[in-house]
Amino acid sequence: METLQIENSTQQDPPDAELQPAQLNPASDTLSSDSNGDLDELRLSHEIEEALQASDSAGKIRRRVKVYELDTSNEWLDRGTGHVDCVFVEAKDSYCVVVRDETEDSVILNSKIQMDNVYEKQQDTLITWTEPSGLELALSFQVLDGCMELWDVIQEVRNRQQTHHLQESDIDQLPLDFPPTTPPTEDLSMEDNTLPTCSVLPEPQPANLKDIENSVSMMSRTIYGRDQLVSVLKENRYLERLLPVFEICEDLESTEDLFVLSHILQLFICLNEEFIFEMILEDDNFLTVVGIFEYDREYKHAKGRFRDFITKHSNFKQIVPVRDKSIVRKIKQTYRLQFLKDAAMARLLDDPTFTTISSLISINNNEIVSYFQKDEKFLKELFDIVISNEDLEKTRDAVKFVLELCSLTKQLPLSIRTNFYKTMTKHGIFVIFDSTITDSDLSSRTAATSILSCILNHDSSMVRSYCVAQNKNGQTPLISVLMDRFLQEEDSGLRSLLSEILKVLFDTIGLTTEDMFVQRDNENDKFLELVYEKVLRKLAVPLFSIKPPGWSALNGGLSRKLTSDSSNSLGSSTSLVSLSKPKELSFTKSQEEKFHWICELLCFIVEHHSYRGKYFMLSTKSEDDTNIMSYLALLLKSKKTYLKLSALRVFRKCIALKDEFYNRHLMRNNVIQTIFTAFSQTKGKDNLLNSAFFEFFDFIRSENIKSLITHIVVNHRKEMEEITYVSTFEGLIVRYEQNQEPPKIDHDSSENHDNKRRKRNGNDGWSKVDEDEESYFNESNDDDENSTPAVSPKSSLSSSSTIASASASRELLPPPPPPAPVNGNNSTFGSLTTAVMSGMGLLNFMKRKTVDEKPIEFVRATGATTNGAGKNGKLVDYSDDNEDEEDFVATKKRKSSPQLGVKKIISFKIGGKSGGNGDSSNGSGDEREKSTDEMG
């Protein structure tokens, strides 16, 4: 295996390499020669020598290179500077790239030219390649010509190797411009730094740690080397013999050896072999392993305290004895793997090792949860401890154990989690919350709250159903206990967790996966009724306790001194937010956090509970009849900016609904005035609070909420005109003025519309409307009842005497016919139908009914007109009517089919009886319905 060569031997001088200079005579200090003819020959020899030296110097400069090696941290290490040659090495039976040191003349590099395409020329003067061992090397040339020459030689050798094996006899076929500068007199087949085999790994001793690190580092770079390394670790139990070296190095305080040992163990673990993890996780070895990782070469002056934490804080306690020893071992292994991943090796793990450790943890968790889920005896003993609550300390430990079990299920599949929580519910997991939620111990309260959070993350409906069942049985619901704990809790972290739990419980809206419609659940409705009736009002109690300056107890209530401008254009109101001089309110840190989370919950209620949330916000009042909105507005006078933002966020959610109930409520209680005052106190500072106020007013402008725009501009226009560094208030004023302008009526467009309508009516097959007919419909409703309207000359009736009523003689363009009137004696409905079908408006028809209460009746035509139809004959006989039944049926069918003509349904009354079924065979005295076609 070829790799980097580092040799310390001295190069021997090549024989007869140079011409010998003439000898000097020390006595005469002159040149000695046998004759004068030798002088020219000597001069010639000196010229040849100088030429050869110049040529050799140029060749050396052309072949001068630096050798680089890529280390494990992906950094290039300089291995020395020398001259490169391409020579044939008999021992390797191949041509090799050889670099000799320019000072010591030792071999720096001896690399066999490979047939594989592993060589790459970069930046014109750089050649890089990868050795079969995985070592990456690079040659950096001083001049461009030298790089090109060596590149051509390498390509020529590779080409000949691919066609036929290149032997030593082929050396004369190499390019002539790259001859070897020195003959290969040394035995270049010997390599000082060849890859170690498994049988020659150094013995694990402090003196050999550096050699072990180099060997393991080299072998772990290739797949073949990793396989060899795994074999030696498994067969020779090499790692077990290496761990005791840690105690020796620590006793000697050899810090550098400890850094080396830490790197070696990291390389072993990154092999991702199961037997290595099992060995390092054993009870006898784990403390030594985490102790080794306390020493990190990159943090030489900082030392971890992993062993101290493991010894003092990680004690395995069995509340109920676990009978299966393999499960106990897996519990310990899982904890230790988690500790390695999250603490001891958090910075050292590569991606494959991280994935391997995570997989092992998941497999162990699955086996642990499955075991406890099936062990009914264990669960019964466990929950008996919680329910009995005899030993308080043991009860708290049992709750923490349940929390550990619930935490293990987070990464498990849904089916396993579902079965687990069903089993836990059957054994009484909800009983835990009756006593532990209100426990005086913070760790116990936190554990119980975390268990509830795990249940909610899996299925929140389980908790809601449990609360409804408690309320039905007359018990205190769990949701009420959680609300009390939320308001009384002093720990900020636990209060935030309780707030998130309440949000999840309040979020009862779910979507089905099939039709994506909101799913209505009766159980959820019962839960919300319970919340709004018995629980939610508690949320307002802390706000009602705020007493700003200017309040005083009077007659058992609270009196406020209001400013003279407490009344506005929309009406006057008494509100606690209109104090004479706004002063900043101070609260304790606990109160500030509590008010912040109350505002967050109110935002959620306003946004997700439409009518229930609105009723709560508008109707919840204190004992002195002050609405909750006014108390929220007081938070805008707090010293803390985040508290002001929390209150402003509630009002922003209210106006986002664009509900006038909210808008009027905000104006009536002077909340808008308080918001504008709080905005003025920012004095134009470029901060988050100022931007939030601008967004609040800009939303009102962009959505054109007219009532709020009017209220703001009318009461604060002078102040708004002075704010010019943004255009928000200028836009509000413009929007207000636009809203005050009456809507413009475009008469030209109206006339054009009428002309287009008339033109359309004349071109689509309808008959044109006569001016007399138009004048009839435009005449006043107060005309004399006895006046007879003009009869259309285009009437299709044969004679005006056939119709006694004026409305029957008019030809009109009715809309599509309305539904037929119901059967029965309903003359008013028949008259209404006639009026509508004749083009008369409903209002005009009702006015006429007050004058003439008699229904409109049609008089039967004369015998000449009816053509002797008899009693059951047609009222009016048109030219296209036939007497036989088939033509009548065809006419009825034509009535239901779309035609260009208009079908006018006329209900009439004969002999005091009315009907609307349209059957002509009902006999004498029955009401008939006539369908006629009037084609334009």
Side-chain angles (χ1 to χ4, degrees):
M1 193 71 67
E2 292 75 28
T3 184
L4 190 66
Q5 303 299 314
I6 301 177
E7 299 182 359
N8 298 322
S9 61
T10 304
Q11 181 185 15
Q12 299 177 358
D13 295 332
D16 300 331
E18 298 180 356
L19 295 175
Q20 298 297 330
Q23 301 294 329
L24 294 177
N25 189 344
S28 61
D29 196 18
T30 59
L31 288 172
S32 65
S33 60
D34 296 338
S35 62
N36 293 331
D38 294 337
L39 181 61
D40 294 335
E41 184 179 353
L42 183 60
R43 290 175 179 175
L44 180 60
S45 66
H46 279 291
E47 292 177 358
I48 294 174
E49 180 182 358
E50 291 175 358
L52 290 174
Q53 290 178 355
S55 176
D56 183 65
S57 176
K60 287 185 176 180
I61 292 175
R62 193 166 64 250
R63 297 179 180 89
R64 190 170 185 267
V65 296
K66 274 185 174 292
V67 181
Y68 291 95
E69 175 190 355
L70 187 66
D71 64 358
T72 56
S73 60
N74 291 331
E75 294 183 359
W76 288 101
L77 302 179
D78 186 0
R79 289 303 187 185
T81 305
H83 301 92
V84 62
D85 289 325
C86 182
V87 296
F88 187 87
V89 180
E90 294 182 359
K92 297 184 179 181
D93 193 23
S94 176
Y95 278 91
C96 300
V97 176
V98 179
V99 179
R100 297 178 183 274
D101 190 274
E102 63 180 355
T103 58
E104 300 179 357
D105 206 18
S106 59
V107 176
I108 300 177
L109 176 67
N110 179 14
S111 175
K112 178 181 176 181
I113 297 179
Q114 307 170 42
M115 293 180 61
D116 298 333
N117 188 19
V118 296
Y119 297 93
E120 183 178 359
K121 186 163 68 71
Q122 301 177 359
Q123 301 177 2
D124 296 333
T125 59
L126 192 65
I127 297 177
T128 62
W129 72 94
T130 303
E131 291 289 318
S133 61
L135 180 65
E136 296 189 23
L137 300 174
L139 294 178
S140 178
F141 286 78
Q142 184 175 352
V143 294
L144 174 62
D145 294 340
C147 182
M148 294 299 297
E149 290 174 1
L150 181 61
W151 180 258
D152 293 338
V153 171
I154 292 175
Q155 298 303 318
E156 181 69 20
V157 172
R158 291 183 61 253
N159 292 336
R160 294 187 182 184
Q161 286 177 342
Q162 293 175 0
T163 56
H164 62 277
H165 295 290
L166 185 62
Q167 303 296 333
E168 184 179 5
S169 59
D170 300 326
I171 190 171
D172 57 343
Q173 302 179 14
L174 288 174
L176 298 178
D177 57 350
F178 200 87
T181 58
T182 58
T185 56
E186 295 93 355
D187 185 8
L188 299 178
S189 63
M190 300 300 297
E191 300 178 2
D192 297 339
N193 206 23
T194 55
L195 283 177
T197 61
C198 296
S199 60
V200 296
L201 271 178
E203 186 69 21
Q205 295 178 359
N208 299 332
L209 288 178
K210 189 63 178 177
D211 295 335
I212 296 174
E213 181 186 20
N214 294 333
S215 301
V216 175
S217 178
M218 294 288 293
M219 296 173 68
S220 61
R221 294 178 182 177
T222 61
I223 298 177
Y224 177 73
R226 293 167 68 93
D227 292 340
Q228 287 184 321
L229 198 55
V230 170
S231 299
V232 71
L233 292 177
K234 182 180 294 185
E235 295 174 1
N236 302 333
R237 304 185 66 87
Y238 193 84
L239 185 55
E240 294 182 5
R241 293 188 288 124
L242 181 65
L243 292 180
V245 179
F246 170 70
E247 298 180 1
I248 301 174
C249 295
E250 198 169 35
D251 293 339
L252 297 175
E253 297 183 356
S254 179
T255 307
E256 189 62 31
D257 290 337
L258 291 170
F259 293 152
V260 173
L261 185 59
S262 176
H263 185 222
I264 294 173
L265 184 58
Q266 175 191 348
L267 294 175
F268 286 158
I269 293 177
C270 289
L271 293 174
N272 296 331
E273 293 294 330
E274 185 178 356
F275 76 92
I276 296 178
F277 286 108
E278 291 180 355
M279 194 272 294
I280 65 175
L281 295 176
E282 292 179 358
D283 296 340
D284 299 334
N285 299 329
F286 186 71
L287 280 180
T288 303
V289 171
V290 297
I292 292 174
F293 286 122
E294 290 179 356
Y295 297 90
D296 194 339
R297 183 177 288 149
E298 296 187 9
Y299 299 93
K300 296 182 179 181
H301 303 289
K303 179 186 174 184
R305 302 180 60 184
F306 301 141
R307 286 174 292 178
D308 183 66
F309 180 84
I310 291 293
T311 304
K312 295 181 179 179
H313 301 285
S314 60
N315 298 323
F316 181 67
K317 184 185 296 186
Q318 298 190 41
I319 310 302
V320 177
V322 182
R323 298 167 183 82
D324 193 341
K325 300 301 180 182
S326 63
I327 294 298
V328 175
R329 184 167 56 87
K330 287 187 178 296
I331 293 174
K332 294 181 179 180
Q333 284 183 354
T334 304
Y335 176 80
R336 291 166 181 172
L337 284 171
Q338 197 76 40
F339 185 82
L340 287 176
K341 188 181 76 168
D342 297 339
M345 297 185 67
R347 193 183 57 83
L348 305 175
L349 293 177
D350 55 8
D351 291 341
T353 309
F354 184 88
T355 304
T356 301
I357 294 178
S358 300
S359 300
L360 292 175
I361 293 174
S362 179
I363 293 172
N364 288 347
N365 288 343
N366 191 3
E367 294 181 7
I368 293 170
V369 171
S370 299
Y371 169 78
F372 286 115
Q373 179 182 341
K374 297 176 182 178
D375 194 344
E376 297 286 342
K377 184 177 181 181
F378 179 88
L379 293 177
K380 185 179 183 305
E381 295 178 5
L382 177 66
F383 283 100
D384 285 345
I385 296 175
V386 178
I387 296 174
S388 62
N389 201 15
E390 298 176 355
D391 188 348
L392 185 58
E393 191 65 28
K394 200 170 183 179
T395 301
R396 292 172 178 174
D397 291 338
V399 172
K400 295 176 182 178
F401 179 79
V402 175
L403 174 61
E404 292 293 333
L405 280 179
C406 295
S407 301
L408 294 181
T409 62
K410 289 183 178 180
Q411 304 300 327
L412 298 181
L414 178 62
S415 58
I416 297 178
R417 293 203 311 269
T418 302
N419 294 332
F420 171 78
Y421 283 112
K422 285 183 179 179
T423 303
M424 301 297 283
T425 304
K426 183 177 65 175
H427 286 83
I429 191 174
F430 287 104
V431 182
I432 295 176
F433 309 123
D434 294 340
S435 57
T436 52
I437 289 291
T438 58
D439 197 340
S440 58
D441 182 58
L442 177 61
S443 62
S444 181
R445 296 200 307 271
T446 305
T449 308
S450 301
I451 294 172
L452 182 59
S453 178
C454 292
I455 298 175
L456 291 174
N457 289 335
H458 172 67
D459 186 6
S460 58
S461 62
M462 295 172 58
V463 183
R464 297 192 195 101
S465 300
Y466 179 72
C467 293
V468 173
Q470 282 183 309
N471 183 60
K472 186 177 181 180
N473 296 332
Q475 302 175 359
T476 302
L478 177 60
I479 183 65
S480 180
V481 177
L482 292 174
M483 182 64 73
D484 293 338
R485 187 68 259 167
F486 167 75
L487 298 175
Q488 299 171 7
E489 185 59 53
E490 296 295 330
D491 183 75
S492 58
L494 187 55
R495 181 188 285 119
S496 64
L497 180 59
L498 287 168
S499 173
E500 295 300 324
I501 288 176
L502 291 174
K503 284 183 181 179
V504 174
L505 289 174
F506 291 163
D507 187 10
T508 59
I509 298 178
L511 295 178
T512 62
T513 57
E514 298 178 354
D515 51 10
M516 296 303 293
F517 287 108
V518 177
Q519 183 180 10
R520 302 297 299 175
D521 191 349
N522 188 35
E523 196 75 23
N524 290 338
D525 291 339
K526 293 180 179 179
F527 176 78
L528 287 180
E529 292 177 2
L530 167 64
V531 169
Y532 278 91
E533 289 178 3
K534 299 184 178 181
V535 178
L536 205 57
R537 182 174 173 80
K538 299 178 181 179
L539 203 61
V541 174
L543 294 174
F544 293 157
S545 63
I546 302 176
K547 293 180 174 57
W551 285 28
S552 61
L554 181 63
N555 296 328
L558 294 173
S559 63
R560 282 89 64 194
K561 182 180 180 180
L562 304 178
T563 56
S564 58
D565 60 347
S566 60
S567 60
N568 50 61
S569 61
L570 299 179
S572 61
S573 172
T574 58
S575 173
L576 61 90
V577 299
S578 302
L579 302 175
S580 58
K581 291 184 179 181
K583 297 181 180 180
E584 291 185 336
L585 302 180
S586 297
F587 305 105
T588 63
K589 184 178 180 179
S590 178
Q591 286 179 321
E592 292 171 353
E593 294 176 352
K594 185 187 302 182
F595 292 151
H596 165 72
W597 291 113
I598 288 175
C599 291
E600 292 296 320
L601 288 174
L602 291 177
C603 287
F604 185 86
I605 290 171
V606 170
E607 184 177 5
H608 293 83
H609 297 172
S610 56
Y611 67 94
R612 285 191 176 97
K614 180 168 65 175
Y615 179 79
F616 175 78
M617 296 296 293
L618 302 184
S619 63
T620 303
K621 298 181 180 180
S622 62
E623 294 180 355
D624 58 337
D625 201 31
T626 303
N627 188 266
I628 188 175
M629 290 283 199
S630 300
Y631 285 95
L632 286 172
L634 284 176
L635 299 180
L636 295 173
K637 302 179 181 181
S638 171
K639 291 183 178 180
K640 298 297 181 179
T641 302
Y642 81 93
L643 200 55
K644 296 180 181 179
L645 291 170
S646 300
L648 182 62
R649 193 154 47 244
V650 178
F651 301 134
R652 176 64 174 81
K653 291 291 184 181
C654 292
I655 67 170
L657 300 176
K658 291 183 280 190
D659 190 330
E660 284 301 317
F661 284 101
Y662 278 120
N663 298 339
R664 288 195 296 268
H665 206 74
L666 293 175
M667 293 182 293
R668 185 181 301 113
N669 291 276
N670 290 337
V671 175
I672 300 297
Q673 177 182 348
T674 307
I675 294 175
F676 195 89
T677 302
F679 161 74
S680 301
Q681 292 176 355
T682 61
K683 299 179 181 179
K685 296 179 181 179
D686 190 10
N687 53 28
L688 179 60
L689 182 61
N690 184 266
S691 300
F693 280 122
F694 274 126
E695 195 277 335
F696 179 86
F697 291 112
D698 189 70
F699 178 82
I700 297 175
R701 179 199 61 80
S702 61
E703 298 296 329
N704 195 18
I705 305 178
K706 296 182 180 180
S707 58
L708 294 180
I709 292 175
T710 303
H711 179 82
I712 295 171
V713 175
V714 168
N715 290 280
H716 306 284
R717 181 162 187 162
K718 183 178 180 181
E719 295 88 341
M720 294 167 62
E721 291 175 348
E722 297 176 355
I723 302 173
T724 58
Y725 58 93
V726 290
S727 60
T728 302
F729 290 106
E730 181 182 354
L732 271 174
I733 295 175
V734 172
R735 183 75 75 177
Y736 167 75
E737 293 175 350
Q738 291 175 349
N739 294 336
Q740 298 303 313
E741 296 177 358
K744 296 181 180 180
I745 301 176
D746 192 353
H747 297 282
D748 296 336
S749 61
S750 178
E751 293 177 359
N752 293 334
H753 176 69
D754 294 339
N755 294 333
K756 291 180 180 179
R757 179 176 59 83
R758 293 189 182 117
K759 185 177 180 180
R760 182 176 64 252
N761 291 341
N763 294 336
D764 59 359
W766 294 82
S767 61
K768 296 183 180 180
V769 182
D770 190 84
E771 294 181 357
D772 296 336
E773 295 172 350
E774 288 291 333
S775 64
Y776 172 80
F777 291 107
N778 293 331
E779 65 183 3
S780 174
N781 294 328
D782 297 331
D783 293 342
D784 189 9
E785 296 179 10
N786 298 326
S787 62
T788 303
V791 180
S792 171
K794 297 183 179 181
S795 176
S796 60
L797 297 178
S798 58
S799 175
S800 61
S801 62
T802 58
I803 304 297
S805 175
S807 61
S809 65
R810 293 190 302 269
E811 180 184 356
L812 44 127
L813 302 175
V822 296
N823 296 330
N825 189 4
N826 193 349
S827 60
T828 303
F829 182 83
S831 301
L832 176 61
T833 304
T834 304
V836 174
M837 292 309 300
S838 62
M840 185 184 298
L842 178 62
L843 182 61
N844 295 337
F845 172 76
M846 296 305 295
K847 289 181 178 180
R848 288 184 179 274
K849 290 293 294 181
T850 58
V851 178
D852 187 6
E853 293 296 334
K854 296 180 180 181
I856 299 175
E857 298 183 1
F858 290 90
V859 180
R860 181 174 299 279
T862 61
T865 305
T866 57
N867 296 326
K871 191 174 183 179
N872 294 331
K874 292 181 172 57
L875 179 65
V876 179
D877 193 6
Y878 293 98
S879 58
D880 58 346
D881 288 338
N882 295 322
E883 297 292 334
D884 55 296
E885 186 69 23
E886 294 181 358
D887 291 340
F888 179 77
V889 174
T891 303
K892 296 292 288 182
K893 291 182 178 180
R894 231 178 16 251
K895 176 182 175 181
S896 59
S897 61
Q899 299 180 12
L900 294 177
V902 180
K903 298 180 179 181
K904 181 167 30 176
I905 301 176
I906 304 174
S907 299
F908 53 93
K909 181 177 179 182
I910 299 177
K913 297 181 180 180
S914 62
N917 56 4
D919 188 3
S920 60
S921 60
N922 287 339
S924 175
D926 294 338
E927 182 179 347
R928 294 170 176 84
E929 181 176 285
K930 175 67 178 175
S931 175
T932 63
D933 294 343
E934 294 181 2
M935 304 298 294

